[in-house]
Amino acid sequence: MYSYVMPVVLLFVSNIFMTYAWYGHLKYMDARPLMFAILASWSIAFFEYCFQVPANRLGYQVYTLAQLKIMQEVITMCVFAGFSLFIMKEKLTLNYLWASMCMIGAVFFLFRAQ
């Protein structure tokens, strides 16, 4: 069970760092010089990779590469939706629902028995 769950947990933590690295500067560093935002984002991204690389190494033992990728995308969408709503104070629109439905379809096709 550890081999199946731990990659998901690590990818979730990785995505929190990734989302802050990619988009956090839009809210918290808009008045700072671009180079400062770049360096801060790269510093945060280091921690993303500290979780993402082990997640993929562990996950590749029990999941296919395509399954790992679609898990990453679904987790990214979930984290991004939360970030948009709670940090950036943006409204979730129906487009989030439609995008999520497309991802559910992708999950279905990549995880269904062959």
Side-chain angles (χ1 to χ4, degrees), residues 14 18 20 23-24 27 33 38 41 43 45 49 52 54-56 78 83 105 114:
S14 166
M18 179 190 74
Y20 268 94
Y23 304 109
K27 179 166 184 150
I38 291 169
S41 292
S43 298
Y49 282 98
Q52 180 266 334
N56 285 331
C78 293
F83 180 84
Q114 296 297 319

Side-chain angles (χ1 to χ4, degrees), residues 57-72:
R57 288 221 174 175
L58 287 170
Y60 194 60
Q61 296 172 14
V62 293
Y63 298 112
T64 67
L65 186 62
Q67 288 172 332
L68 279 171
K69 182 59 181 170
I70 198 60
M71 270 195 292
Q72 169 71 20

